Amino acid sequence: MEAAADLESSLELSYSGAGPGGLPPARSRIFKIIVIGDSNVGKTCLTYRFCAGRFPGRTEATIGVDFRERAVTIDGERIKIQLWDTAGQERFRKSMVQHYYRNVHAVVFVYDMTNIASFHSLPSWIEECKQHLLAGDIPRILVGNKCDLRSAIQVPTDLAQKFADTHSIPLFETSAKNPNDNDHVEAIFMTLAHKLKSHKPLMLSQPPDNDKIHLKPEPKPATTCWC
Amino acid sequence: MSLLRRPPPDGTAPHEYNSKKKRKVAEIYQALNSDPIDVAALRRMAISEGGLLTDEIRCKVWPKLLNVKTDDLPPAPGKELREDNEDYQQVLLDVRRSLRRFPPGMPDEQREGLQEELIDIILQVLQRNPQLHYYQGYHDIVVTFLLVVGERLATALVEKLSTHHLRDFMDPTMDNTKHILNYLMPIIDQVNPELHDFMQSAEVGTIFALSWLITWFGHVLADFRHVVRLYDFFLACHPLMPIYFAAVIVLYREQEVLDCECDMASVHHLLSQIPQDLPYETLISRAGDLFVQFPPSELARKAAQQRVERTAASTFKDFELASAQQRPDAVLRQRFRDRLRVEERTKSFLTKPRTNRFVKLAVMGLTVALGAAALAVVKSALEWAPKFELQIFP
């Protein structure tokens, strides 16, 4: 457990596992991660894969914002990872989704490797995210999904990598569907969780104005297509 | 249908129950066969216990509730429908993924055929009404009509619905949808301030109810019978009724919410997982109650502390005007209107909603008032009840 003072300073401090008539809940920190990107890129499948450990049989269009969570243990600390899965259609993000940017600890941008348009939308997603997140320095990652559909790939890795470097966002290419890539979806979110854990100031809902600690993206994000 | 499925709440014997249903079927056909068609009675039937009972009846009554003429349906779409349609890709993506909306066990081929029809209906309505914009979830509403009344009639019904009940959801932006969601918390506050305050401190927002509202619960309810029962109700009512129903569900789950951790994630998560065994009939009559006690105009005034012109009396005026639309002949229409105007004055005096939240209206009074409110469908929900600037969203 972290020092009590640290925990108290975090507005995200929460009691988990509380239920009607349940035992006194155990304390655990919460990492809130928002997952955004165009319609049909696989945001729901990625979050479902991570939280439920499998590819969902049938997914539908997400309307508004869905929520999934999973408890993990990192370096002996129990942490809840909350994934906020958002609707892809533009009209939703313009007026509905902004509520969910509040107190977010990390952002996952998703595009569909078999759909170049979803890749071309990324700059507007990144820009929008910047507008919502006044804190600025929160970790962001870029995920190219559906890498199992090799013959249909429209977004080559080098193109995506160049884009990622320009924006200093680590890139991952994965597949929520292919069971062989199961560990990789897991690894992506766990990497993010580790990163969040090692940067305690990020736990503050209101980032300190003065001695702001800048989180530098990892100098050379190791990018691998784990297909 | 739930009339059939569920044991009667008052413990009446099954045969008594069946005879109740038979009686209702007879009443519905009587209203359908009267000349002119007794739309007010059909509205009451759609609202009251069990709704319209069967899809066969729905095929006949839904068009009447929407004032759609079944002998003048829009022509079948041409081949060019899918070309040059800016929404086509999005519609395609959403419809292809909407497998769960079709009855389990339906052969793939049949389902795929229906999905193609679904795409056509949506595109045709959008093409004929360029002011309307597609939103994800619209397909969940359209599929319900397709499955109950078939492609041609569904196109006509959905078109009417889209220019009326759903109009606010189909603006270029979702600002008006957000305004409608803003009614949710004031309704909850009227009935249960403690619950309201808890939800406010959790900062849960109202997005958990977004899909309920814009799909008329079609997106979240697994049992199609429940969906069509609710559609009976909503089709017979004011466009804002779905938000009252949403409030009623939250109120019904009061204890669960209050037992929940007071934060956005927990409360959002709890509420967005809608229980599948809700007591629909009870909730429907509760929603009707709330609508009469706290009509939209009242809520708007309360929440925004602003004066609005609309009162219960003007609701009845709308009722009269809308009912008059169904009359075939202008002279008759005028006469009917004059007669109603007298009745209206009496009625509005008698049933004018009072602010006391303990006021309980008699069931009969309720259905009359609901029928009235329901007919007050002007261009859109928000035109009827002015927006209020309650900032729930930051």
Side-chain angles (χ1 to χ4, degrees), chain B residues 193-219:
Chain B
E194 188 197 355
L195 183 62
H196 169 268
D197 294 349
F198 181 90
M199 290 172 69
Q200 291 291 50
S201 355
E203 298 186 305
V204 63
T206 48
I207 304 293
F208 67 85
L210 175 65
S211 71
W212 304 356
L213 178 69
I214 65 178
T215 72
W216 278 11
F217 296 83
H219 187 74

PDB file of all heavy atoms in Angstrom, chain B residues 193-219:
ATOM      1  N   PRO B 193     -35.844  13.082  -3.576  1.00  0.00           N
ATOM      2  CA  PRO B 193     -34.715  14.024  -3.508  1.00  0.00           C
ATOM      3  C   PRO B 193     -33.432  13.364  -2.998  1.00  0.00           C
ATOM      4  O   PRO B 193     -32.345  13.746  -3.433  1.00  0.00           O
ATOM      5  CB  PRO B 193     -35.205  15.092  -2.518  1.00  0.00           C
ATOM      6  CG  PRO B 193     -36.676  14.929  -2.439  1.00  0.00           C
ATOM      7  CD  PRO B 193     -36.978  13.516  -2.762  1.00  0.00           C
ATOM      8  N   GLU B 194     -33.579  12.384  -2.128  1.00  0.00           N
ATOM      9  CA  GLU B 194     -32.390  11.725  -1.586  1.00  0.00           C
ATOM     10  C   GLU B 194     -31.618  11.015  -2.702  1.00  0.00           C
ATOM     11  O   GLU B 194     -30.394  11.135  -2.825  1.00  0.00           O
ATOM     12  CB  GLU B 194     -32.805  10.710  -0.510  1.00  0.00           C
ATOM     13  CG  GLU B 194     -31.622  10.128   0.233  1.00  0.00           C
ATOM     14  CD  GLU B 194     -31.952   8.847   1.003  1.00  0.00           C
ATOM     15  OE1 GLU B 194     -33.145   8.453   1.047  1.00  0.00           O
ATOM     16  OE2 GLU B 194     -31.020   8.227   1.544  1.00  0.00           O
ATOM     17  N   LEU B 195     -32.371  10.291  -3.516  1.00  0.00           N
ATOM     18  CA  LEU B 195     -31.760   9.583  -4.636  1.00  0.00           C
ATOM     19  C   LEU B 195     -31.118  10.579  -5.615  1.00  0.00           C
ATOM     20  O   LEU B 195     -30.003  10.375  -6.096  1.00  0.00           O
ATOM     21  CB  LEU B 195     -32.822   8.747  -5.347  1.00  0.00           C
ATOM     22  CG  LEU B 195     -32.367   7.870  -6.499  1.00  0.00           C
ATOM     23  CD1 LEU B 195     -31.366   6.829  -6.032  1.00  0.00           C
ATOM     24  CD2 LEU B 195     -33.555   7.189  -7.168  1.00  0.00           C
ATOM     25  N   HIS B 196     -31.851  11.632  -5.859  1.00  0.00           N
ATOM     26  CA  HIS B 196     -31.347  12.672  -6.741  1.00  0.00           C
ATOM     27  C   HIS B 196     -30.010  13.223  -6.228  1.00  0.00           C
ATOM     28  O   HIS B 196     -29.029  13.310  -6.969  1.00  0.00           O
ATOM     29  CB  HIS B 196     -32.382  13.800  -6.846  1.00  0.00           C
ATOM     30  CG  HIS B 196     -31.879  15.046  -7.510  1.00  0.00           C
ATOM     31  ND1 HIS B 196     -31.322  16.091  -6.802  1.00  0.00           N
ATOM     32  CD2 HIS B 196     -31.833  15.401  -8.818  1.00  0.00           C
ATOM     33  CE1 HIS B 196     -30.967  17.041  -7.650  1.00  0.00           C
ATOM     34  NE2 HIS B 196     -31.261  16.653  -8.877  1.00  0.00           N
ATOM     35  N   ASP B 197     -29.973  13.540  -4.939  1.00  0.00           N
ATOM     36  CA  ASP B 197     -28.754  14.133  -4.385  1.00  0.00           C
ATOM     37  C   ASP B 197     -27.588  13.154  -4.432  1.00  0.00           C
ATOM     38  O   ASP B 197     -26.451  13.538  -4.701  1.00  0.00           O
ATOM     39  CB  ASP B 197     -29.002  14.589  -2.937  1.00  0.00           C
ATOM     40  CG  ASP B 197     -30.007  15.735  -2.877  1.00  0.00           C
ATOM     41  OD1 ASP B 197     -30.335  16.285  -3.954  1.00  0.00           O
ATOM     42  OD2 ASP B 197     -30.476  16.059  -1.776  1.00  0.00           O
ATOM     43  N   PHE B 198     -27.902  11.895  -4.176  1.00  0.00           N
ATOM     44  CA  PHE B 198     -26.865  10.875  -4.235  1.00  0.00           C
ATOM     45  C   PHE B 198     -26.261  10.798  -5.639  1.00  0.00           C
ATOM     46  O   PHE B 198     -25.038  10.776  -5.824  1.00  0.00           O
ATOM     47  CB  PHE B 198     -27.458   9.515  -3.841  1.00  0.00           C
ATOM     48  CG  PHE B 198     -26.474   8.384  -3.833  1.00  0.00           C
ATOM     49  CD1 PHE B 198     -25.757   8.073  -2.683  1.00  0.00           C
ATOM     50  CD2 PHE B 198     -26.252   7.622  -4.978  1.00  0.00           C
ATOM     51  CE1 PHE B 198     -24.841   7.032  -2.670  1.00  0.00           C
ATOM     52  CE2 PHE B 198     -25.339   6.578  -4.980  1.00  0.00           C
ATOM     53  CZ  PHE B 198     -24.632   6.288  -3.824  1.00  0.00           C
ATOM     54  N   MET B 199     -27.150  10.794  -6.624  1.00  0.00           N
ATOM     55  CA  MET B 199     -26.665  10.701  -8.011  1.00  0.00           C
ATOM     56  C   MET B 199     -25.897  11.952  -8.415  1.00  0.00           C
ATOM     57  O   MET B 199     -24.922  11.868  -9.170  1.00  0.00           O
ATOM     58  CB  MET B 199     -27.843  10.458  -8.964  1.00  0.00           C
ATOM     59  CG  MET B 199     -28.424   9.062  -8.809  1.00  0.00           C
ATOM     60  SD  MET B 199     -29.942   8.843  -9.753  1.00  0.00           S
ATOM     61  CE  MET B 199     -29.304   8.899 -11.426  1.00  0.00           C
ATOM     62  N   GLN B 200     -26.330  13.083  -7.898  1.00  0.00           N
ATOM     63  CA  GLN B 200     -25.599  14.313  -8.195  1.00  0.00           C
ATOM     64  C   GLN B 200     -24.204  14.283  -7.584  1.00  0.00           C
ATOM     65  O   GLN B 200     -23.230  14.676  -8.214  1.00  0.00           O
ATOM     66  CB  GLN B 200     -26.355  15.552  -7.688  1.00  0.00           C
ATOM     67  CG  GLN B 200     -27.645  15.860  -8.432  1.00  0.00           C
ATOM     68  CD  GLN B 200     -27.440  16.333  -9.861  1.00  0.00           C
ATOM     69  OE1 GLN B 200     -26.721  15.716 -10.631  1.00  0.00           O
ATOM     70  NE2 GLN B 200     -28.105  17.416 -10.237  1.00  0.00           N
ATOM     71  N   SER B 201     -24.114  13.795  -6.340  1.00  0.00           N
ATOM     72  CA  SER B 201     -22.771  13.764  -5.733  1.00  0.00           C
ATOM     73  C   SER B 201     -21.879  12.751  -6.434  1.00  0.00           C
ATOM     74  O   SER B 201     -20.665  12.920  -6.483  1.00  0.00           O
ATOM     75  CB  SER B 201     -22.784  13.450  -4.237  1.00  0.00           C
ATOM     76  OG  SER B 201     -24.052  13.375  -3.731  1.00  0.00           O
ATOM     77  N   ALA B 202     -22.484  11.708  -6.970  1.00  0.00           N
ATOM     78  CA  ALA B 202     -21.683  10.724  -7.706  1.00  0.00           C
ATOM     79  C   ALA B 202     -21.252  11.281  -9.064  1.00  0.00           C
ATOM     80  O   ALA B 202     -20.389  10.716  -9.723  1.00  0.00           O
ATOM     81  CB  ALA B 202     -22.471   9.439  -7.901  1.00  0.00           C
ATOM     82  N   GLU B 203     -21.846  12.380  -9.473  1.00  0.00           N
ATOM     83  CA  GLU B 203     -21.588  12.980 -10.786  1.00  0.00           C
ATOM     84  C   GLU B 203     -21.762  11.982 -11.913  1.00  0.00           C
ATOM     85  O   GLU B 203     -20.979  11.927 -12.849  1.00  0.00           O
ATOM     86  CB  GLU B 203     -20.169  13.568 -10.824  1.00  0.00           C
ATOM     87  CG  GLU B 203     -19.941  14.686  -9.819  1.00  0.00           C
ATOM     88  CD  GLU B 203     -18.579  15.339  -9.994  1.00  0.00           C
ATOM     89  OE1 GLU B 203     -17.574  14.603  -9.963  1.00  0.00           O
ATOM     90  OE2 GLU B 203     -18.534  16.566 -10.166  1.00  0.00           O
ATOM     91  N   VAL B 204     -22.813  11.189 -11.772  1.00  0.00           N
ATOM     92  CA  VAL B 204     -23.000  10.096 -12.739  1.00  0.00           C
ATOM     93  C   VAL B 204     -23.388  10.614 -14.124  1.00  0.00           C
ATOM     94  O   VAL B 204     -23.175   9.943 -15.124  1.00  0.00           O
ATOM     95  CB  VAL B 204     -24.035   9.080 -12.212  1.00  0.00           C
ATOM     96  CG1 VAL B 204     -25.401   9.718 -12.059  1.00  0.00           C
ATOM     97  CG2 VAL B 204     -24.112   7.865 -13.112  1.00  0.00           C
ATOM     98  N   GLY B 205     -23.931  11.827 -14.182  1.00  0.00           N
ATOM     99  CA  GLY B 205     -24.379  12.315 -15.484  1.00  0.00           C
ATOM    100  C   GLY B 205     -25.637  11.588 -15.918  1.00  0.00           C
ATOM    101  O   GLY B 205     -26.316  10.943 -15.096  1.00  0.00           O
ATOM    102  N   THR B 206     -25.955  11.647 -17.198  1.00  0.00           N
ATOM    103  CA  THR B 206     -27.185  11.001 -17.658  1.00  0.00           C
ATOM    104  C   THR B 206     -26.949  10.114 -18.873  1.00  0.00           C
ATOM    105  O   THR B 206     -27.890   9.596 -19.459  1.00  0.00           O
ATOM    106  CB  THR B 206     -28.232  12.072 -18.036  1.00  0.00           C
ATOM    107  OG1 THR B 206     -27.602  13.044 -18.863  1.00  0.00           O
ATOM    108  CG2 THR B 206     -28.802  12.745 -16.811  1.00  0.00           C
ATOM    109  N   ILE B 207     -25.684   9.939 -19.214  1.00  0.00           N
ATOM    110  CA  ILE B 207     -25.410   9.178 -20.434  1.00  0.00           C
ATOM    111  C   ILE B 207     -25.816   7.702 -20.300  1.00  0.00           C
ATOM    112  O   ILE B 207     -26.077   7.030 -21.286  1.00  0.00           O
ATOM    113  CB  ILE B 207     -23.914   9.270 -20.825  1.00  0.00           C
ATOM    114  CG1 ILE B 207     -23.493  10.730 -20.966  1.00  0.00           C
ATOM    115  CG2 ILE B 207     -23.628   8.545 -22.127  1.00  0.00           C
ATOM    116  CD1 ILE B 207     -24.104  11.473 -22.107  1.00  0.00           C
ATOM    117  N   PHE B 208     -25.917   7.230 -19.065  1.00  0.00           N
ATOM    118  CA  PHE B 208     -26.369   5.840 -18.891  1.00  0.00           C
ATOM    119  C   PHE B 208     -27.762   5.655 -19.498  1.00  0.00           C
ATOM    120  O   PHE B 208     -28.129   4.556 -19.896  1.00  0.00           O
ATOM    121  CB  PHE B 208     -26.357   5.436 -17.408  1.00  0.00           C
ATOM    122  CG  PHE B 208     -27.368   6.175 -16.563  1.00  0.00           C
ATOM    123  CD1 PHE B 208     -28.677   5.725 -16.477  1.00  0.00           C
ATOM    124  CD2 PHE B 208     -27.011   7.318 -15.865  1.00  0.00           C
ATOM    125  CE1 PHE B 208     -29.620   6.420 -15.713  1.00  0.00           C
ATOM    126  CE2 PHE B 208     -27.938   8.014 -15.099  1.00  0.00           C
ATOM    127  CZ  PHE B 208     -29.248   7.563 -15.025  1.00  0.00           C
ATOM    128  N   ALA B 209     -28.530   6.743 -19.559  1.00  0.00           N
ATOM    129  CA  ALA B 209     -29.894   6.650 -20.093  1.00  0.00           C
ATOM    130  C   ALA B 209     -29.971   7.032 -21.574  1.00  0.00           C
ATOM    131  O   ALA B 209     -31.047   6.985 -22.158  1.00  0.00           O
ATOM    132  CB  ALA B 209     -30.837   7.533 -19.285  1.00  0.00           C
ATOM    133  N   LEU B 210     -28.844   7.388 -22.160  1.00  0.00           N
ATOM    134  CA  LEU B 210     -28.865   7.853 -23.548  1.00  0.00           C
ATOM    135  C   LEU B 210     -29.418   6.794 -24.504  1.00  0.00           C
ATOM    136  O   LEU B 210     -30.304   7.068 -25.307  1.00  0.00           O
ATOM    137  CB  LEU B 210     -27.458   8.274 -23.985  1.00  0.00           C
ATOM    138  CG  LEU B 210     -27.298   8.662 -25.452  1.00  0.00           C
ATOM    139  CD1 LEU B 210     -28.103   9.920 -25.775  1.00  0.00           C
ATOM    140  CD2 LEU B 210     -25.835   8.875 -25.812  1.00  0.00           C
ATOM    141  N   SER B 211     -28.891   5.577 -24.380  1.00  0.00           N
ATOM    142  CA  SER B 211     -29.354   4.549 -25.319  1.00  0.00           C
ATOM    143  C   SER B 211     -30.809   4.172 -25.043  1.00  0.00           C
ATOM    144  O   SER B 211     -31.546   3.816 -25.955  1.00  0.00           O
ATOM    145  CB  SER B 211     -28.458   3.310 -25.269  1.00  0.00           C
ATOM    146  OG  SER B 211     -28.660   2.612 -24.068  1.00  0.00           O
ATOM    147  N   TRP B 212     -31.237   4.280 -23.791  1.00  0.00           N
ATOM    148  CA  TRP B 212     -32.651   4.021 -23.480  1.00  0.00           C
ATOM    149  C   TRP B 212     -33.514   4.993 -24.264  1.00  0.00           C
ATOM    150  O   TRP B 212     -34.487   4.614 -24.909  1.00  0.00           O
ATOM    151  CB  TRP B 212     -32.947   4.226 -21.997  1.00  0.00           C
ATOM    152  CG  TRP B 212     -32.123   3.437 -21.046  1.00  0.00           C
ATOM    153  CD1 TRP B 212     -31.180   2.486 -21.340  1.00  0.00           C
ATOM    154  CD2 TRP B 212     -32.160   3.537 -19.606  1.00  0.00           C
ATOM    155  NE1 TRP B 212     -30.642   1.999 -20.178  1.00  0.00           N
ATOM    156  CE2 TRP B 212     -31.218   2.620 -19.105  1.00  0.00           C
ATOM    157  CE3 TRP B 212     -32.898   4.314 -18.706  1.00  0.00           C
ATOM    158  CZ2 TRP B 212     -31.004   2.463 -17.734  1.00  0.00           C
ATOM    159  CZ3 TRP B 212     -32.690   4.154 -17.351  1.00  0.00           C
ATOM    160  CH2 TRP B 212     -31.752   3.223 -16.868  1.00  0.00           C
ATOM    161  N   LEU B 213     -33.144   6.255 -24.151  1.00  0.00           N
ATOM    162  CA  LEU B 213     -33.949   7.322 -24.734  1.00  0.00           C
ATOM    163  C   LEU B 213     -33.995   7.245 -26.253  1.00  0.00           C
ATOM    164  O   LEU B 213     -35.066   7.224 -26.853  1.00  0.00           O
ATOM    165  CB  LEU B 213     -33.377   8.676 -24.292  1.00  0.00           C
ATOM    166  CG  LEU B 213     -34.052   9.916 -24.847  1.00  0.00           C
ATOM    167  CD1 LEU B 213     -35.454  10.069 -24.273  1.00  0.00           C
ATOM    168  CD2 LEU B 213     -33.231  11.168 -24.563  1.00  0.00           C
ATOM    169  N   ILE B 214     -32.815   7.191 -26.873  1.00  0.00           N
ATOM    170  CA  ILE B 214     -32.801   7.340 -28.336  1.00  0.00           C
ATOM    171  C   ILE B 214     -33.112   6.041 -29.077  1.00  0.00           C
ATOM    172  O   ILE B 214     -33.292   6.054 -30.280  1.00  0.00           O
ATOM    173  CB  ILE B 214     -31.476   7.964 -28.842  1.00  0.00           C
ATOM    174  CG1 ILE B 214     -30.291   7.054 -28.588  1.00  0.00           C
ATOM    175  CG2 ILE B 214     -31.252   9.341 -28.216  1.00  0.00           C
ATOM    176  CD1 ILE B 214     -28.981   7.631 -29.117  1.00  0.00           C
ATOM    177  N   THR B 215     -33.203   4.922 -28.353  1.00  0.00           N
ATOM    178  CA  THR B 215     -33.655   3.683 -29.011  1.00  0.00           C
ATOM    179  C   THR B 215     -34.996   3.220 -28.459  1.00  0.00           C
ATOM    180  O   THR B 215     -35.448   2.129 -28.788  1.00  0.00           O
ATOM    181  CB  THR B 215     -32.652   2.529 -28.839  1.00  0.00           C
ATOM    182  OG1 THR B 215     -32.684   2.066 -27.476  1.00  0.00           O
ATOM    183  CG2 THR B 215     -31.234   2.949 -29.187  1.00  0.00           C
ATOM    184  N   TRP B 216     -35.597   4.031 -27.604  1.00  0.00           N
ATOM    185  CA  TRP B 216     -36.840   3.634 -26.942  1.00  0.00           C
ATOM    186  C   TRP B 216     -36.659   2.266 -26.266  1.00  0.00           C
ATOM    187  O   TRP B 216     -37.498   1.391 -26.354  1.00  0.00           O
ATOM    188  CB  TRP B 216     -38.006   3.600 -27.922  1.00  0.00           C
ATOM    189  CG  TRP B 216     -38.628   4.938 -28.185  1.00  0.00           C
ATOM    190  CD1 TRP B 216     -38.161   6.161 -27.828  1.00  0.00           C
ATOM    191  CD2 TRP B 216     -39.871   5.177 -28.863  1.00  0.00           C
ATOM    192  NE1 TRP B 216     -39.022   7.148 -28.237  1.00  0.00           N
ATOM    193  CE2 TRP B 216     -40.079   6.573 -28.884  1.00  0.00           C
ATOM    194  CE3 TRP B 216     -40.828   4.352 -29.471  1.00  0.00           C
ATOM    195  CZ2 TRP B 216     -41.201   7.159 -29.481  1.00  0.00           C
ATOM    196  CZ3 TRP B 216     -41.925   4.927 -30.062  1.00  0.00           C
ATOM    197  CH2 TRP B 216     -42.110   6.320 -30.068  1.00  0.00           C
ATOM    198  N   PHE B 217     -35.520   2.076 -25.680  1.00  0.00           N
ATOM    199  CA  PHE B 217     -35.158   0.871 -24.937  1.00  0.00           C
ATOM    200  C   PHE B 217     -34.937  -0.347 -25.832  1.00  0.00           C
ATOM    201  O   PHE B 217     -34.670  -1.434 -25.349  1.00  0.00           O
ATOM    202  CB  PHE B 217     -36.196   0.551 -23.839  1.00  0.00           C
ATOM    203  CG  PHE B 217     -36.261   1.631 -22.783  1.00  0.00           C
ATOM    204  CD1 PHE B 217     -37.029   2.772 -22.991  1.00  0.00           C
ATOM    205  CD2 PHE B 217     -35.537   1.527 -21.627  1.00  0.00           C
ATOM    206  CE1 PHE B 217     -37.070   3.790 -22.042  1.00  0.00           C
ATOM    207  CE2 PHE B 217     -35.569   2.535 -20.671  1.00  0.00           C
ATOM    208  CZ  PHE B 217     -36.341   3.668 -20.871  1.00  0.00           C
ATOM    209  N   GLY B 218     -35.021  -0.156 -27.139  1.00  0.00           N
ATOM    210  CA  GLY B 218     -34.825  -1.267 -28.066  1.00  0.00           C
ATOM    211  C   GLY B 218     -33.405  -1.823 -28.015  1.00  0.00           C
ATOM    212  O   GLY B 218     -33.176  -2.991 -28.291  1.00  0.00           O
ATOM    213  N   HIS B 219     -32.462  -0.986 -27.641  1.00  0.00           N
ATOM    214  CA  HIS B 219     -31.054  -1.405 -27.626  1.00  0.00           C
ATOM    215  C   HIS B 219     -30.719  -2.233 -26.395  1.00  0.00           C
ATOM    216  O   HIS B 219     -29.795  -3.020 -26.411  1.00  0.00           O
ATOM    217  CB  HIS B 219     -30.169  -0.158 -27.677  1.00  0.00           C
ATOM    218  CG  HIS B 219     -28.710  -0.435 -27.841  1.00  0.00           C
ATOM    219  ND1 HIS B 219     -28.158  -0.843 -29.037  1.00  0.00           N
ATOM    220  CD2 HIS B 219     -27.676  -0.376 -26.965  1.00  0.00           C
ATOM    221  CE1 HIS B 219     -26.857  -1.024 -28.888  1.00  0.00           C
ATOM    222  NE2 HIS B 219     -26.539  -0.745 -27.638  1.00  0.00           N
TER     223      HIS B 219
END
